[in-house]
Amino acid sequence: MSIDGEALGSALGQTPLPIATQLCRREAGNYLAALDGAAPLVVGCTQEQPLFEQLAQQQQRSAPLRFVNLRESGGWSAQAAHALPKMAALLAAAALPDPEPVAEVAYQSAGRLLVIGAQTLATDWAGRLAAQLDVSVLCTATDGAPLMERRFPTWSGGAVKVDGWLGAFTVHWEQANPIDLDLCTRCMGCVAACPEGAIGLDLQVDLLACRSHRDCVAICGAVGAIDFARSASARSAEFDLVLDLSGTPLLRRHALPQGYFAPGPSAQRQAEAALAITALVGEFSKPQFFHYKEQLCAHSRNRSIGCNACIDTCSAEAIAGDGDHIKVEPHLCVGCGACTTVCPSGALTYAYPRAPDLGQRLQTLLGTYARSSGRQGALLLHNEGGGQRLLLELGRLAATGALAGMPARLIPVALEHVASAGIDVWLSAVTYGATHLAILCTGEEAPQYLDALAQQAAIAQAILNGLGYAGTHVTLLRAGDAADLDRQLQALPLGQVPAQAAAFHLAAAKRNTLDMVLAHLLKYAPAPSDEIALPPGAPYGQVKVDTQACTLCMSCVGACPASALTDNPSLPQLRFTERNCVQCGLCATTCPEKAITLAPRLLLTPAAKQAQVVNEAEPYHCIRCHTPFGTLKMIENMLGKLSAHGAFADNLDRLRMCPDCRVVDMLEREGETRITDLKR
């Protein structure tokens, strides 16, 4: 790979860039000299990053030091000769200022470990770890092996339930066996005393063989470890770490809590888990990956469920309903960001990085690529874990000529998780000039993440194609190995982009970003349209009201979290502002007449931002004071339903009165029972 430092510097608007071929070896002096500067230093290689960081630390460098992979990202590929615009883009993005730090979530672990599993396996691993950790054992099955010295707290039981996270686990179980292993002194007196031999060396009673002589109870005496009255007694305890050696893990979610390990039957995986556990003692922290604005949340109103998208999508079970809103447990959150991608209202937003920071990065990448004479730039979004490893493997194989490698027009973008970016980010990238967004999925992702990404991709594609932008703009790449990925990368389609790149920046609020994106896409649309049909699950749409069934009770107005449905204080009218609607469905579930249905679509006319009357009725006036207090249909329905009721049968006119006149009428009529007439 040969790089033209003068051309690369020119593309970045700088002087010729120094090019090194052995910066980590015989040219290390050049690197040490560059460390003396106060400006941020970008190194275009990640192979020897630990060495470079160590040298910078020895030099006591305080200025930012950043690394970017130029070799596997494009220098080692069949199209390396055309990769200069991409390299310029990657270097420009690496030179951006660091984003503001995000809040952190703290964990504290004192090393209290609970090992759960069959007796021999659990006690064996507990014995190995007892020197480093404060170990306890919960035996969920017995194999008859003898329990010897009492080295650590030991219980037996079933119906085990694990809740919590690193440093804060609570484990519940039911202890049904008469012998409490935690109280037992291992004297073996009960084994010798039992006439049926119903107590084995595992110190558990075979209840089918026991004939209730209770000799064991007598010999146990004051120790009190044996109690036949014990019947599925509930027990619980708190721990910092859990090693679950059950055949079937107790927690089956895709993203397990930190501090919980379920390695299965593999001895190698058990050893790896044990090694990882010994390192989890002390204080730890991680970023808080999300922001939540409950005033925007469309989850629930008045015990009616509307939007459940984040709860259904979360693979860590970190999100749960909490009254009219949701509650996100940051200690369980693993930072996938899928909840923010599917959230239609923007109540949940991703914070690592924040949307404006990610937007600046994409804008820099695509803008620099275009200014460097790059054509048909595209983005490859990938995880920093498995996705990054697969790209490195692809680059190495491309260097040998075995594979074609990364196309010159394809710019890699590393994310904490690919599920953290959705239609606001994708469509913004298209307005910045991205002809395609390939989302690399490597099998690490939860199945519901792939479903969510596919749904969001269908929505984005429907919007773009509905405005006449030809081609395919978003693709999910499901690659099992480098060869599979290489085949898909060489066949990536092209999507048409606006004639002029957008200059706006991503907003912190998702809906605000989408407003700017849609305005730009419509302005340069090859085939402008007033209305675009969208697939189910879209965050935009229409609320259709059956005017024959609707009584204008306004229950839907009280339930709407986005002020899409409003009333008219002066007239009996139901109004709808389509651009505010997030299609949560709360109005439909709340409506007592079942008069509301949803129709996903994108309306792009000015009417979308204006309140439109979707139902109105003739006001009904009080027969006494003539004040309007309802609608004609509402009063007629009330008369029909209450005319036979004992409280109104002789006073139907009161139903035709406003509340004030109703009270006056009751006080004026003679013979009306009043509270003052009641006697104690």
Side-chain angles (χ1 to χ4, degrees):
M1 175 182 67
S2 177
I3 299 177
D4 186 338
E6 184 174 352
L8 194 56
S10 176
L12 292 169
Q14 300 177 14
T15 57
L17 295 184
I19 304 299
T21 57
Q22 294 185 24
L23 190 65
C24 54
R25 294 296 182 265
R26 64 182 179 84
E27 295 174 308
N30 296 341
Y31 172 71
L32 292 173
L35 289 176
D36 292 337
L41 180 63
V42 178
V43 180
C45 178
T46 57
Q47 179 65 35
E48 296 286 350
Q49 182 174 337
L51 171 62
F52 291 139
E53 289 176 334
Q54 183 179 7
L55 291 174
Q57 187 176 9
Q58 291 174 356
Q59 293 280 88
Q60 297 183 341
R61 177 182 172 86
S62 58
L65 178 63
R66 304 190 182 96
F67 298 86
V68 59
N69 186 316
L70 296 182
R71 299 190 312 180
E72 287 85 357
S73 296
W76 285 348
S77 77
Q79 300 181 14
H82 307 287
L84 187 141
K86 174 164 63 173
M87 293 181 182
L90 292 171
L91 289 170
L96 289 171
D98 290 331
E100 295 182 8
V102 300
E104 292 191 336
V105 180
Y107 298 86
Q108 287 189 335
S109 169
R112 298 172 301 160
L113 169 67
L114 177 67
V115 184
I116 304 173
Q119 175 187 316
T120 299
L121 181 63
T123 54
D124 179 49
W125 275 111
R128 299 183 195 184
L129 294 168
Q132 293 88 15
L133 301 166
D134 180 6
V135 178
S136 301
V137 173
L138 175 56
C139 299
T140 54
T142 180
D143 49 20
L147 278 176
M148 306 304 289
E149 68 273 14
R150 190 173 180 273
R151 295 177 56 193
F152 30 71
T154 304
W155 302 278
S156 66
V160 184
K161 181 181 179 182
V162 178
D163 293 309
W165 49 84
L166 175 64
F169 284 106
T170 301
V171 181
H172 303 267
W173 70 93
E174 292 181 358
Q175 181 174 322
N177 201 277
I179 299 182
D180 186 335
L181 295 180
D182 192 41
L183 295 177
C184 177
T185 63
R186 315 297 197 262
C187 70
M188 299 297 174
C190 58
V191 178
C194 180
E196 292 91 11
I199 303 177
L201 295 180
D202 58 358
L203 300 175
Q204 294 289 272
V205 179
D206 181 352
L207 296 175
L208 296 178
C210 177
R211 294 295 178 266
S212 303
H213 292 88
R214 301 298 187 262
D215 293 352
C216 57
V217 177
I219 201 165
C220 189
V223 174
I226 306 177
D227 181 2
F228 281 85
R230 183 183 296 116
S231 177
S233 60
R235 304 285 295 270
S236 67
E238 295 181 350
F239 304 93
D240 299 312
L241 301 153
V242 174
L243 176 57
D244 179 7
L245 299 174
S246 307
T248 300
L250 297 169
L251 296 181
R252 303 296 300 276
R253 66 191 72 161
H254 184 273
L256 297 173
Q258 289 185 298
Y260 171 87
F261 296 84
S266 167
Q268 178 179 342
R269 292 187 61 191
Q270 291 172 8
E272 291 171 351
L275 182 62
I277 284 173
T278 58
L280 291 178
V281 179
E283 296 183 1
F284 306 90
S285 65
K286 69 176 181 182
Q288 179 163 314
F289 294 101
F290 64 91
H291 289 307
Y292 175 56
K293 296 181 179 179
E294 69 173 29
Q295 65 269 26
L296 299 179
C297 185
H299 169 61
S300 173
R301 291 294 185 275
N302 302 321
R303 299 183 181 179
S304 293
I305 301 298
C307 176
N308 231 21
C310 60
I311 297 175
D312 294 338
T313 303
C314 181
S315 70
E317 298 183 13
I319 309 177
D322 186 28
D324 283 347
H325 304 101
I326 60 167
K327 181 179 181 180
V328 187
E329 177 47 68
H331 292 89
L332 291 176
C333 174
V334 295
C336 67
C339 57
T340 67
T341 293
V342 299
C343 179
S345 66
L348 279 168
T349 56
Y350 200 65
Y352 193 74
R354 299 178 180 89
D357 296 326
L358 178 57
Q360 183 185 22
R361 185 175 164 200
L362 300 183
Q363 202 167 20
T364 299
L365 286 169
L366 293 164
T368 305
Y369 179 85
R371 289 191 297 273
S372 305
S373 301
R375 299 180 59 194
Q376 300 177 339
L379 301 177
L380 175 62
L381 308 184
H382 63 88
N383 292 343
E384 291 181 343
Q388 183 69 40
R389 290 191 295 271
L390 192 57
L391 291 182
L392 291 175
E393 181 183 352
L394 172 65
R396 297 299 173 89
L397 290 172
T400 68
L403 299 175
M406 289 272 284
R409 72 183 184 95
L410 190 61
I411 307 170
V413 180
L415 301 174
E416 179 76 16
H417 199 291
V418 291
S420 64
I423 60 172
D424 54 332
V425 173
W426 301 341
L427 293 179
S428 295
V430 171
T431 67
Y432 295 155
T435 60
H436 194 80
L437 288 102
I439 303 168
L440 176 56
C441 305
T442 61
E444 299 173 305
E445 303 80 10
Q448 60 265 43
Y449 293 172
L450 300 181
D451 294 340
L453 288 172
Q455 181 191 51
Q456 296 293 309
I459 296 169
Q461 200 61 62
I463 293 173
L464 291 165
N465 293 156
L467 291 171
Y469 292 96
T472 302
H473 297 77
V474 184
T475 301
L476 265 64
L477 304 181
R478 308 189 187 200
D481 55 39
D484 185 16
L485 174 61
D486 192 57
R487 285 190 296 270
Q488 296 185 64
L489 292 183
Q490 308 315 313
L492 283 181
L494 283 173
Q496 188 177 3
V497 298
Q500 181 172 326
F504 64 81
H505 302 295
L506 265 68
K510 182 176 185 177
R511 304 282 290 198
N512 291 348
T513 294
L514 286 171
D515 284 346
M516 294 186 289
V517 165
L518 295 173
H520 188 85
L521 291 174
L522 181 61
K523 181 178 180 180
Y524 296 99
S529 176
D530 290 343
E531 179 183 335
I532 300 172
L534 297 180
Y540 294 105
Q542 182 183 18
V543 167
K544 293 185 175 181
V545 178
D546 181 352
T547 57
Q548 297 302 312
C550 175
T551 61
L552 291 176
C553 68
M554 300 302 172
S555 297
C556 55
V557 172
C560 181
S563 298
L565 286 166
T566 55
D567 61 357
N568 185 335
S570 304
L571 294 171
Q573 290 181 339
L574 177 61
R575 300 185 294 183
F576 176 60
T577 306
E578 186 157 340
R579 184 54 62 88
N580 292 349
C581 181
V582 298
Q583 294 284 286
C584 65
L586 272 170
C587 53
T589 57
T590 300
C591 178
E593 289 87 19
K594 306 302 178 187
I596 296 178
T597 55
L598 304 179
R601 70 171 186 176
L602 179 60
L603 185 64
L604 292 165
T605 65
K609 298 182 179 180
Q610 300 168 358
Q612 308 291 326
V613 176
V614 292
N615 193 20
E616 58 184 338
E618 179 183 347
Y620 189 88
H621 294 81
C622 173
I623 61 174
R624 182 170 181 140
C625 69
H626 305 293
T627 300
F629 72 97
T631 67
L632 179 61
K633 180 181 290 189
M634 183 185 299
I635 299 302
E636 289 175 347
N637 284 349
M638 192 162 53
L639 287 169
K641 293 178 180 180
L642 299 178
S643 59
H645 195 282
F648 297 99
D650 297 328
N651 300 291
L652 283 180
D653 279 347
R654 285 184 185 161
L655 296 176
R656 300 184 177 96
M657 299 178 188
C658 67
D660 291 341
C661 290
R662 210 171 292 159
V663 174
V664 172
D665 184 68
M666 291 174 61
L667 293 173
E668 287 181 347
R669 291 206 183 186
E670 295 183 4
E672 192 84 36
T673 302
R674 297 176 174 82
I675 193 170
T676 54
D677 298 331
L678 300 178
K679 296 181 179 179
R680 293 183 181 180

